[in-house]
Amino acid sequence: MEKIHNEDLKMLIDVLRQGNGHVMELEAHLYNYETFSSETCLLLSSKLQSTFATAIAIIKLMEQRGLPSPPPTSATDSPRSQSSERSFKEQERREMCKKRKSLPRWSEQVKACSGSAMEIPLDDGHSWRKYGQKDILGAKFPRCYYRCTYRHSHGCVATKQIQRSDNNSSLFDITYRGAHTCNHGFQKPSPLTNEQIIHQNQSFKVKTEALSSNEQKSESSPYFSFPLTPKSCLKLESNVFSSSSNPENYEGLDLEIADIICASNSTTSSEMLKIDFGVEQFVFDSEFSFDFY
DNA sequence: TTCATTTGACCGAC
DNA sequence: GTCGGTCAAATGAA
């Protein structure tokens, strides 16, 4: 178990405080029959969902930070001239591989746009470039690999995998890895038609796949579920942090955490969201207290 | 000519 | 050795 300091917790509390604010807002809205609208409910629900995802991600990062850092590898420190171009590239590739593994990962299940000749999942607002396709063992359909178009120009590490569901070929499992650090290509997701809304899944789900085995075995489901209001009502402004998806905009925040906040923001309109954050035990500073408002 | 997609090869993890 | 993820050369489209 690791000791967590107040400084890290402050950031987490800020996120939770916003979540609490959204709950109160939602509650107030529910009791106001004159101005009630499902649109606002969905908006607040999305904000809440984002807040949960962000908070969990921050906790995970705090946990990781608490662990002893691995010793620096000599290869990365050594001058490039001492190694061949090939070995340098291999080293670079290994580093990238390690880095990607530590990136936050979450997945969605999206229904294909019916009616079109090529039934493809809805555009998520980002610009993606396909870089690979693989036949997956035991899966009927191949898995497609996409990375951000601005990977080279802006060093954006975001990737996603799309795989058609075996059971329902009109469903696509989309796994995202890493948040966008580019400012390009983010636009309002395509609005859904009424028909598509009807076919949406009936609830939001947040799955913590990397929970410890004990937690997995517990009686409670590993999912958080949120009742779903028709998605057509969703507005783009439904981000828990109202600024853009660019982590640079989260001034003062740790870059990794800012990335996660962006990642969670970009998933606020997901039909089904699974977030891969392992959370273990923490010991809070004795001085620390939860004071919402 | 430029940019995106396809596809076989390569590499690390297990 | 197998499998999943990525790379990069070849190819196609605009």
Side-chain angles (χ1 to χ4, degrees):
Chain A
M1 287 205 287
E2 302 293 333
K3 188 134 178 149
I4 306 300
H5 299 288
N6 275 347
E7 199 177 319
D8 291 328
L9 283 169
K10 198 182 167 200
M11 212 177 295
L12 178 62
I13 294 311
D14 283 342
V15 173
L16 292 173
R17 201 172 268 162
Q18 290 193 47
N20 190 51
H22 297 321
V23 170
M24 295 180 80
E25 236 181 293
L26 181 60
E27 202 172 86
H29 182 73
L30 286 172
Y31 286 105
N32 191 339
Y33 298 106
E34 288 178 2
T35 61
F36 178 85
S37 77
S38 57
E39 181 177 345
T40 311
C41 286
L42 180 65
L43 186 70
L44 292 166
S45 161
S46 295
K47 285 180 177 180
L48 268 173
Q49 186 197 12
S50 256
T51 310
F52 278 126
T54 306
I56 293 167
I58 291 173
I59 289 168
K60 174 72 191 305
L61 260 179
M62 286 160 58
E63 182 199 28
Q64 283 176 349
R65 270 204 209 108
L67 299 173
S69 53
T73 54
S74 57
T76 47
D77 298 332
S78 63
R80 193 171 172 169
S81 59
Q82 287 180 6
S83 57
S84 68
E85 189 69 23
R86 181 174 168 78
S87 62
F88 177 78
K89 277 199 167 183
E90 281 172 4
Q91 181 67 35
E92 201 176 37
R93 189 173 171 166
R94 273 193 288 271
E95 291 298 318
M96 276 297 286
C97 197
K98 278 185 201 170
K99 202 174 173 184
R100 280 194 197 107
K101 268 196 148 184
S102 65
L103 290 172
R105 195 179 70 177
W106 65 99
S107 56
E108 299 178 20
Q109 202 165 53
V110 174
K111 189 168 177 67
C113 307
S114 55
S116 60
M118 295 291 290
E119 290 192 351
I120 54 169
L122 293 166
D123 181 17
D124 60 8
H126 284 287
S127 181
W128 299 98
R129 178 171 172 175
K130 189 176 181 179
Y131 68 87
Q133 182 173 312
K134 259 303 223 209
D135 286 323
I136 301 302
L137 196 74
K140 284 182 193 171
F141 305 100
R143 180 177 296 168
C144 297
Y145 299 89
Y146 296 83
R147 65 182 174 220
C148 178
T149 305
Y150 306 101
R151 182 183 176 176
H152 295 302
S153 55
H154 291 76
C156 184
V157 296
T159 62
K160 75 170 175 181
Q161 303 171 1
I162 299 182
Q163 184 160 25
R164 195 181 282 258
S165 170
D166 284 347
N167 302 326
N168 186 346
S169 61
S170 63
L171 283 178
F172 289 86
D173 290 316
I174 305 179
T175 302
Y176 294 90
R177 196 171 285 180
H180 282 270
T181 54
C182 62
N183 223 356
H184 298 75
F186 189 79
Q187 50 198 247
K188 185 177 178 173
S190 323
L192 296 180
T193 64
N194 287 337
E195 192 185 350
Q196 285 167 340
I197 295 160
I198 290 166
H199 286 94
Q200 294 297 339
N201 296 300
Q202 295 305 303
S203 65
F204 284 114
K205 286 184 178 179
V206 177
K207 182 185 180 184
T208 51
E209 289 181 330
L211 289 172
S212 66
S213 54
N214 286 342
E215 285 169 295
Q216 297 258 9
K217 284 172 196 165
S218 70
E219 286 177 18
S220 59
S221 160
Y223 292 96
F224 301 109
S225 293
F226 304 91
L228 181 69
T229 318
K231 181 179 165 178
S232 61
C233 308
L234 192 68
K235 286 181 178 173
L236 185 63
E237 67 208 19
S238 65
N239 288 335
V240 60
F241 296 90
S242 56
S243 45
S244 77
S245 63
N246 185 356
E248 289 170 10
N249 292 341
Y250 302 111
E251 211 172 317
L253 278 186
D254 182 286
L255 183 62
E256 278 179 299
I257 291 177
D259 276 351
I260 288 168
I261 291 168
C262 292
S264 71
N265 280 348
S266 68
T267 61
T268 50
S269 60
S270 303
E271 294 77 31
M272 183 182 288
L273 173 71
K274 289 186 278 179
I275 302 185
D276 185 10
F277 302 122
V279 180
E280 291 176 14
Q281 282 182 289
F282 290 108
V283 172
F284 291 94
D285 258 6
S286 56
E287 296 165 22
F288 173 75
S289 64
F290 282 92
D291 54 337
F292 292 109
Y293 300 105

